Amino acid sequence: MSTMDQNQTSETEEIQNDDVVGSAFRWSLAIVVLLACGGTATWLLTRPAPKPAVGPAAATTLPTARVAPAMQIPVIPWTDITEQAGIDFVHENGAEGEKLLPETMGGGGAFFDYDNDGDSDLLCVNSSVWPWAKSRPETPPTSALYANDGQGGFSNVTRGSGLDVPMYGNGCACGDVDSDGDVDLFISCLGTNHLFRNDGQGKFTDITPQAGVAGDPAAWSTSCGFADFDLDGDLDLFVCNYIEWDRETDEGMNFTLDGKLRAYGRPTDFRGAFPYLYTNNGQGVFTDVSQSMGIQVRDPNTGVALSKSLGVTFPEVNGDGYPDIMVANDTVQNLLFLSQKTGGFLENAAGAGVAFDNAGAARGAMGLDFACFRNSPSLGIAIGNFATEMTALYVCQTPAASFPVFRDEAVSNGIGPVTRTDLKFGVLFVDADLDGRVDLIENNGHLEEDIRVVQASQQYEQPPHLLWNCGPDQDNEFVMLKESQTSADFSRRMVGRGLSAADIDADGDTDLILFASGGRPRLLRNEQALGHHWLRLQLKGTKSNRDGIGAQVDVTLPDGTVLSRTVMPTRSYQSQVELPVTFGLGSHTTVKSITVTWPGGTQQQVPVDGVDRLINVIEAGPSA
């Protein structure tokens, strides 16, 4: 045997010996483990039971049961006085079966004192028949102006007023743009917008070309409003634009409900459109600063305009004294433009928590409003959303922060579940029963006459909502009132759109008008008889804008409760409310103090002698 063979044999014997040793070791280890486990099991089974502890049981401290204050829901009846009051307006949307999307969105208006006689007059904004209509009336439809007699009776004064101009109108904005003491009027349209100068004596002049606010003749403008965004003492103008729309594109998409029935189009299938922001030079002539002021937001994925805007209002949320801009968008995120001390705006809706719902999804947002609904510094922004989507109630506990943060509390405070079914348009905070807490009113109606064919839970005509504010101490802060608590006149179904409020009969409580798409509005007189007291304040600016738009009024009650209201006619959906602000005082017959914070931050104490009255407040100091 060679040396190589001897070496291979030796290596083979060593490997075999190692295998034997390894196998023996593994078997020995397994036996040890089994014996250990067996011993442990035997000990566990045979050990003596532990002796019970001797001594009294410790007392269990139970949480104190929360007892909510007793709640007595009020009766707040309303009477439909539309015909009795002389309101004969019928909204024309031009529908003839083509089902073009603009036919579904109109129906707004305003309460405003056009003749300076101290009461709230009424404007109903009209759309029109289409240029290609098969059937045309002898007289083209126009918007309608009604003069109030001071007791809630109205006369149609449209003819010869200068407002009797055919246009496809949608919404409106009211404000004294030239500081001459008369309230001027802007009407947003599908197509060219219009600014009418109030010349007094019931006459208006269309000054759109020289004012520079016509907009793109192909645009579709919706809600709009005046505010002094640069605090220079005059009113600037913000205008929402919805989508890029034309007849050919709409018809070509062939929208259907069930594969057969022609349906109105979805905004998701149209491109968005930028809003307009115009600054006023002080004489009612405006400059478009939309791009330079930072309000043209683009979709980060496509680069096209993000906005599909239907509602707007101007709360002051970041504590710098300048009005901010809250925009309700349809099927895309909402927008919150925060004013910047260096000028312009910073869009921060996502960071502030008002862009989406709690699941991070965009909703079909329509109208909106804001209020300190808890009689605390907390600010709430309510937004009416599409059918099957809850009304949103975004709440900010610290609204004076540089970057305010909101949380949608609609579910926890009772608003969300009861508003989910209906399609909400006009949304307003109103103290309907004058108890000192603002309630929430919504005007509702679907887009599709045939919606029940595909959704049994939906109807074209829908009832309005009155959500009574029962206070933060209750399990739910808001309760939906039933027909027995509001009357059949209030609860009657309609194709609701815009919503406005004013004390039309000078009795202290707030009356309503519910605008409709393609039909008659409903003027509802508030018949509450709860014996609650009230105060109303009408502001006139001297250094600030003459209407006092943007001023905050705080009424402190004897018990220390502070009621806050903002002079802000731009609320709801394509509508404007009256300029005076109303404070319900409940059972209080006196107030401790009244403070007005004018735009820019100047504060003024207002003397008050008694309640249940209107107080006219003129801004202190020399005129600008």
Side-chain angles (χ1 to χ4, degrees):
M1 181 182 293
S2 66
T3 302
M4 180 177 295
D5 292 338
Q6 290 177 352
N7 290 339
Q8 288 177 343
T9 301
S10 177
E11 289 175 359
T12 300
E13 291 175 351
E14 289 178 1
I15 292 172
Q16 291 174 346
N17 292 336
D18 288 344
D19 289 342
V20 172
V21 171
S23 176
F25 176 78
R26 287 192 295 273
W27 277 106
S28 299
L29 181 61
I31 293 171
V32 170
V33 170
L34 288 174
L35 290 174
C37 290
T40 301
T42 301
W43 177 79
L44 289 173
L45 292 172
T46 59
R47 66 172 180 165
K51 296 181 179 180
V54 179
T60 301
T61 303
L62 297 175
T64 303
R66 179 183 177 276
V67 179
M71 181 174 63
Q72 185 173 356
I73 298 177
V75 174
I76 312 174
W78 308 77
T79 299
D80 186 339
I81 62 168
T82 313
E83 184 176 351
Q84 171 191 337
I87 307 300
D88 55 359
F89 176 77
V90 180
H91 181 260
E92 173 62 69
N93 60 14
E96 284 190 324
E98 286 183 282
K99 292 209 169 181
L100 303 175
L101 189 54
E103 298 165 0
T104 68
M105 294 297 182
F111 280 119
F112 74 121
D113 186 5
Y114 83 93
D115 53 6
N116 282 334
D117 64 354
D119 54 38
S120 290
D121 309 302
L122 175 64
L123 175 78
C124 299
V125 176
N126 212 348
S127 299
S128 188
V129 295
W130 294 110
W132 53 85
K134 300 174 183 177
S135 176
R136 307 185 66 81
E138 292 183 9
T139 303
T142 71
S143 298
L145 178 65
Y146 294 90
N148 189 347
D149 64 7
Q151 298 179 342
F154 292 85
S155 301
N156 192 326
V157 295
T158 311
R159 182 174 298 178
S161 67
L163 300 177
D164 46 349
V165 180
M167 65 188 77
Y168 205 99
N170 290 302
C172 60
C174 306
D176 185 358
V177 301
D178 51 7
S179 301
D180 66 350
D182 297 315
V183 181
D184 308 299
L185 182 64
F186 178 86
I187 298 181
S188 60
C189 300
L190 176 66
T192 301
N193 298 321
H194 294 266
L195 177 62
F196 295 93
R197 184 185 63 217
N198 188 338
D199 295 325
Q201 305 300 314
K203 304 296 183 182
F204 290 82
T205 299
D206 190 336
I207 61 169
T208 308
Q210 57 265 43
V213 292
D216 187 331
W220 177 357
S221 298
T222 55
S223 292
C224 48
F226 291 110
D228 188 1
F229 296 110
D230 50 12
L231 298 184
D232 62 353
D234 54 40
L235 291 174
D236 310 303
L237 175 63
F238 186 93
V239 183
C240 292
N241 286 314
Y242 187 32
I243 57 174
E244 292 184 5
W245 180 89
D246 61 75
R247 179 190 182 192
E248 292 72 23
T249 301
D250 197 333
E251 288 184 327
M253 290 185 180
N254 194 29
F255 299 105
T256 64
L257 279 177
D258 58 355
K260 299 177 182 179
L261 288 172
R262 168 73 179 176
Y264 286 108
R266 300 177 297 271
T268 51
D269 294 303
F270 295 88
R271 291 162 62 105
F274 293 126
Y276 304 135
L277 177 61
Y278 301 97
T279 56
N280 188 344
N281 72 358
Q283 301 298 320
V285 177
F286 294 81
T287 301
D288 188 340
V289 295
S290 307
Q291 184 172 0
S292 62
M293 295 290 275
I295 67 161
Q296 292 190 348
V297 179
R298 297 182 181 274
D299 186 311
N301 298 314
T302 63
V304 302
L306 174 65
S307 304
K308 297 181 180 180
S309 305
L310 289 175
V312 67
T313 191
F314 311 123
E316 206 287 89
V317 299
N318 63 355
D320 64 357
Y322 288 75
D324 305 301
I325 304 171
M326 181 70 210
V327 177
N329 279 326
D330 190 5
T331 70
V332 296
Q333 71 159 83
N334 301 317
L335 299 173
L336 175 60
F337 295 101
L338 297 174
S339 58
Q340 301 296 294
K341 293 181 179 179
T342 55
F345 294 88
L346 173 68
E347 202 291 306
N348 192 47
V354 295
F356 306 103
D357 66 11
N358 285 336
R363 292 184 275 204
M366 309 297 175
L368 75 170
D369 196 6
F370 70 94
C372 295
F373 68 96
R374 289 178 178 151
N375 294 336
S376 73
S378 298
L379 179 71
I381 297 176
I383 301 181
N385 293 307
F386 201 78
T388 71
E389 297 174 341
M390 296 181 293
T391 295
L393 183 57
Y394 299 105
V395 181
C396 179
Q397 305 294 342
T398 56
S402 298
F403 291 96
V405 177
F406 291 76
R407 184 180 68 174
D408 190 350
E409 299 183 7
V411 173
S412 63
N413 63 28
I415 285 180
V418 296
T419 60
R420 182 188 295 273
T421 301
D422 294 330
L423 201 168
K424 290 75 62 180
F425 276 90
V427 175
L428 275 182
F429 283 110
V430 172
D431 187 355
D433 58 347
L434 299 177
D435 66 349
R437 298 186 298 266
V438 289
D439 313 300
L440 188 65
I441 299 175
E442 299 179 324
N443 194 16
N444 312 314
H446 212 282
L447 309 184
E448 293 285 354
E449 294 181 74
D450 302 314
I451 188 61
R452 296 200 71 182
V453 172
V454 292
Q455 286 183 275
S457 64
Q458 292 295 315
Q459 295 191 42
Y460 185 45
E461 295 182 330
Q462 299 179 350
H465 298 158
L466 200 169
L467 293 126
W468 180 64
N469 185 342
C470 44
D473 295 330
Q474 300 295 331
D475 292 334
N476 287 331
E477 288 184 78
F478 289 87
V479 174
M480 180 86 80
L481 297 193
K482 303 175 183 178
E483 181 178 311
S484 61
Q485 296 157 334
T486 61
S487 76
D489 279 358
F490 179 88
S491 300
R492 189 172 298 116
R493 294 174 179 270
M494 65 184 297
V495 186
R497 293 298 183 261
L499 169 63
S500 186
D503 179 8
I504 63 172
D505 49 8
D507 65 353
D509 54 30
T510 302
D511 311 295
L512 303 171
I513 188 163
L514 286 69
F515 296 104
S517 174
R520 298 180 181 275
R522 293 224 310 269
L523 182 63
L524 298 175
R525 184 175 61 209
N526 190 335
E527 305 281 14
Q528 65 83 30
L530 299 167
H532 291 159
H533 299 285
W534 52 273
L535 275 176
R536 286 167 50 79
L537 285 89
Q538 170 87 56
L539 273 56
K540 181 179 179 181
T542 55
K543 294 175 291 184
S544 305
N545 67 86
R546 290 183 65 92
D547 298 316
I549 292 174
Q552 179 175 312
V553 184
D554 295 326
V555 172
T556 303
L557 301 179
D559 62 3
T561 301
V562 179
L563 313 179
S564 297
R565 306 284 186 269
T566 301
V567 180
M568 184 51 61
T570 302
R571 302 173 182 269
S572 182
Y573 173 78
Q574 298 189 154
S575 301
Q576 302 273 289
V577 303
E578 65 173 351
L579 279 174
V581 290
T582 297
F583 292 86
L585 305 178
S587 60
H588 293 283
T589 57
T590 62
V591 300
K592 187 175 180 180
S593 65
I594 299 177
T595 303
V596 175
T597 304
W598 294 93
T602 301
Q603 290 193 334
Q604 180 177 340
Q605 299 300 313
V606 178
V608 56
D609 183 15
V611 297
D612 301 333
R613 57 193 292 262
L614 171 70
I615 301 174
N616 289 291
V617 182
I618 300 176
E619 185 177 11
S623 178

